[in-house]
Amino acid sequence: MSTTRLLGKTGITCPQIIYGTSYLGNLYRELSEDEKLNLMQEWFNVADGKVMIDSAGKYGAGLALEVIGQGLEKLGVDPSQITISNKLGWYRVQLTSAEPTFEPGAWANLKYDAVQKISYNGILECWQQGCELLGGKFKPEIVSVHDPDEYLMAATDSEDRQKRKDDILGAYKALFELKEKGEVRAVGIGSKDWLVIKELYEEVKFDWVMFANKFTIYHHPKAIVDFMIQLEKDGVGIINSAIFNAGFLTGGDYFDYRLVDPKDSADEHLFAWREKFFTICLKHNIAPGDACLKFALSAPQIAAVALNPSKPHRMAHNKTLLNHEFPEAFWAELKSEQIIEAEYPYL
């Protein structure tokens, strides 16, 4: 079974696993230069063909992009061996305070800060800076506006929201012009709120979309499945990311980036769901994270999942899962115990 799929009508072939790169920008902790290089080397060790990675100017205020450009050069990688996706909207600036202002507490030991620039001109500045940070030899072929849902959510009233939406539409106008000039091959959108993707899709014909947190073994309502069917009919490629609901589904303390509490009545249902899920996984001798990955790729509309492993050995393990089928009895029990929705059509 092939481990590559076409990304919609873009002509881009993508591996079923795309690698996120926020760890290269010192997310939560600073990996050593050797650890970062080892992670990057492993992308190529486990690849059947071209590697695809997902990065952003926001990751470490451009640090991840710098590390990628320098690391690929050190590893002797040819640009033809890798497809780079860059999410645009954050621009590196001088650090003038004790710690960066853009996501306090999330990034370790940064030398720069970042400011948001979402507009026609702003996104072109982000694009230009991203290419410079990568060092010139490697260029992103795939681009998007980073977190348009958060940009809209920050609106103070309906008038401000409309202005912000116009900013986003202006940014996309610029990105599609880059595509027309042959600077990039595909323009898309990534969002934690899939309804924002749906809203913007009425006005912007994206080449690809990335769902974050919204199509997982925990959360897969019929409305999202129907939207994915529509996107596929329209030739739009779909990438699935944040498939562990921010780590909760594999035992973490956060659910969708919010700290949850088993003693809080509002969170009790989450812990009850997870306990039942873990029990069924244990019975069938299947790791919860492996079940999450298989589910995340189960819908035929999905071209790839984006994973962000901070340990190289996870990459080889995840790749072996792609062609490994789990027993039908496992999926049947997850459905009968209402872990997976009974009407979910693909398992």
Side-chain angles (χ1 to χ4, degrees):
M1 185 177 154
S2 170
T3 55
T4 61
R5 294 181 184 177
L6 278 171
L7 186 63
K9 288 180 179 167
T10 62
I12 295 169
T13 301
C14 65
Q16 279 185 275
I17 296 176
I18 294 168
Y19 294 111
T21 58
S22 53
Y23 283 113
L24 302 180
N26 297 0
L27 181 66
Y28 303 130
R29 63 198 174 98
E30 183 176 17
L31 299 177
S32 70
E33 191 183 331
D34 280 351
E35 285 175 303
K36 290 178 181 180
L37 265 181
N38 289 340
L39 278 174
M40 294 170 70
Q41 180 63 65
E42 192 64 11
W43 298 341
F44 297 93
N45 292 347
V46 303
D48 284 332
K50 216 169 175 178
V51 167
M52 188 183 287
I53 61 168
D54 175 57
S55 198
K58 190 180 191 180
Y59 295 165
L63 177 63
L65 292 168
E66 266 183 334
V67 167
I68 289 162
Q70 291 165 10
L72 294 175
E73 189 75 66
K74 268 187 195 141
L75 295 170
V77 172
D78 188 271
S80 65
Q81 293 175 268
I82 188 163
T83 303
I84 299 172
S85 166
N86 192 13
K87 302 191 290 278
L88 304 166
W90 289 88
Y91 189 86
R92 171 186 278 189
V93 294
Q94 290 302 315
L95 182 63
T96 57
S97 48
E99 72 159 331
T101 56
F102 68 103
E103 267 183 342
W107 305 93
N109 197 21
L110 296 190
K111 308 285 187 284
Y112 294 91
D113 205 346
V115 293
Q116 199 165 37
K117 290 196 177 202
I118 294 180
S119 64
Y120 179 90
N121 289 323
I123 221 76
L124 290 175
E125 288 177 56
C126 293
W127 153 257
Q128 189 61 46
Q129 188 182 66
C131 292
E132 286 163 11
L133 290 168
L134 282 166
K137 184 175 177 180
F138 299 90
K139 263 179 79 172
E141 292 179 73
I142 300 176
V143 290
S144 60
V145 176
H146 200 174
D147 295 333
D149 50 336
E150 291 179 11
Y151 189 65
L152 288 174
M153 234 167 16
T156 50
D157 54 32
S158 58
E159 194 180 326
D160 185 35
R161 190 182 190 279
Q162 187 55 52
K163 183 190 168 300
R164 286 167 176 268
K165 187 173 174 182
D166 290 343
D167 288 342
I168 292 167
L169 296 175
Y172 274 111
K173 182 173 186 287
L175 294 182
F176 277 101
E177 284 173 10
L178 284 178
K179 185 185 170 189
E180 279 167 33
K181 290 178 192 160
E183 292 282 356
V184 300
R185 292 181 65 189
V187 178
I189 182 172
S191 172
K192 297 182 189 80
D193 183 349
W194 74 279
L195 293 171
V196 166
I197 296 177
K198 202 163 187 246
E199 178 187 347
L200 292 171
Y201 186 57
E202 286 169 19
E203 299 183 56
V204 182
K205 289 301 162 233
F206 301 113
D207 298 317
W208 60 274
V209 306
M210 180 190 275
F211 293 111
N213 279 334
K214 284 297 170 278
F215 184 77
T216 70
I217 200 166
Y218 176 80
H219 184 268
H220 45 274
K222 184 176 182 296
I224 289 182
V225 176
D226 290 346
F227 184 45
M228 293 197 308
I229 291 167
Q230 177 63 51
L231 289 170
E232 187 188 39
K233 273 188 192 147
D234 295 347
V236 179
I238 301 174
I239 297 169
N240 195 5
S241 74
I243 62 169
F244 308 111
N245 290 98
F248 183 79
L249 305 190
T250 54
D253 298 327
Y254 287 81
F255 179 84
D256 289 2
Y257 311 105
R258 175 178 71 83
L259 188 62
V260 284
D261 180 0
K263 296 186 187 75
D264 185 336
S265 58
D267 294 336
E268 277 174 3
H269 69 287
L270 291 172
F271 290 90
W273 182 97
R274 185 168 72 179
E275 195 172 325
K276 202 191 287 186
F277 173 50
F278 282 8
T279 301
I280 298 168
C281 287
L282 189 64
K283 178 179 165 185
H284 291 270
N285 197 26
I286 289 169
D290 294 354
C292 292
L293 175 57
K294 290 301 277 187
F295 182 87
L297 281 166
S298 63
Q301 300 84 9
I302 290 172
V305 294
L307 297 178
N308 201 4
S310 60
K311 297 180 177 67
H313 71 268
R314 288 295 312 168
M315 296 186 208
H317 172 78
N318 290 337
K319 189 190 167 192
T320 63
L321 282 177
L322 294 178
N323 291 327
H324 178 71
E325 293 307 320
F326 291 164
E328 279 181 31
F330 173 64
W331 299 116
E333 188 167 352
L334 289 177
K335 278 190 171 183
S336 69
E337 291 296 322
Q338 297 176 315
I339 294 295
I340 295 174
E341 297 200 10
E343 68 271 21
Y344 180 69
Y346 304 120
L347 287 169

